[in-house]
Amino acid sequence: MPPCPPSGGHFRALTFFAEAPDSVRAARDMTRTALQSWGLGSLAEDARLVVSELVGNVVHHAVPDDCLSQPGAARRVDVLLKAWPGWLFIGVADEDSTSPDLPVADFVFPDLAGTFVEAVLPDSGRGLFIVQRLVDALWCSPKEGGGKIVWCRFDLDPERVDGRPSAIHA
């Protein structure tokens, strides 16, 4: 059984620039390395996908607020990983205060979709829909001075509501 994060928890933060061709890959790799070193390797693949989607959204969609924008400057992306006993938090911060369109409910009703599920998926927001399905909570908070942080939480409790094994006890 992998160890629980110590009572003080773990924290890792890295800054990337959206214009760098390897920013998404670097964020995924940092996530895997951190989780493996914290004894949470069984959660690494889901967390890597979440980070990939969130950083990818910044790369493709974020436009810095006027107060944070400088002509020709690279767009900053901060990836925050926080592990506490019972939880893993992932935050992706950018310089755009516009909140993402977070999914508010399930988009797909399998009985209605039959074998053509793609027909009932939304035209946009699929990445956040995937993130929402992988995590236990997803929300957005403003940053002081401009920008936002999109947060998600993985519950690491021994018993999961949906019956999946937790990352700590998998």
Side-chain angles (χ1 to χ4, degrees):
M1 174 186 332
C4 292
S7 60
H10 293 287
F11 177 76
R12 185 150 312 160
L14 283 175
T15 297
F16 302 95
F17 294 98
E19 288 71 26
D22 63 344
S23 59
V24 176
R25 180 190 52 78
R28 281 193 310 260
D29 292 348
M30 181 269 302
T31 299
R32 177 181 47 226
T33 300
L35 295 183
Q36 287 174 339
S37 71
W38 298 344
L40 299 173
S42 63
L43 189 59
E45 290 309 309
D46 284 353
R48 286 180 75 228
L49 180 56
V50 165
V51 166
S52 183
E53 289 293 337
L54 296 179
V55 172
N57 281 349
V58 174
V59 169
H60 296 292
H61 303 294
V63 177
D65 296 349
D66 287 340
C67 64
L68 300 174
S69 177
Q70 296 178 6
R75 294 172 295 145
R76 180 182 171 139
V77 183
D78 296 315
V79 177
L80 312 165
L81 303 173
K82 298 179 181 188
W84 297 99
W87 300 288
L88 170 68
F89 295 95
I90 297 174
V92 175
D94 64 62
E95 301 168 314
D96 183 346
S97 292
T98 306
S99 293
D101 292 329
L102 299 176
V104 293
D106 288 343
F107 288 112
V108 179
F109 296 96
D111 295 339
L112 297 176
T115 60
F116 192 54
V117 175
E118 294 82 8
V120 294
L121 287 174
D123 290 335
S124 65
R126 289 185 191 114
L128 287 174
F129 177 68
I130 292 168
V131 168
Q132 184 184 49
R133 302 302 291 177
L134 291 172
V135 302
D136 293 292
L138 175 65
W139 69 98
C140 181
S141 62
K143 284 178 24 184
E144 188 174 323
K148 67 176 173 301
I149 305 175
V150 177
W151 289 101
C152 62
R153 186 192 76 232
F154 288 90
D155 292 343
L156 306 176
D157 295 329
E159 299 296 325
R160 298 288 298 256
V161 174
D162 63 4
R164 291 183 300 167
S166 76
I168 288 180
H169 296 88

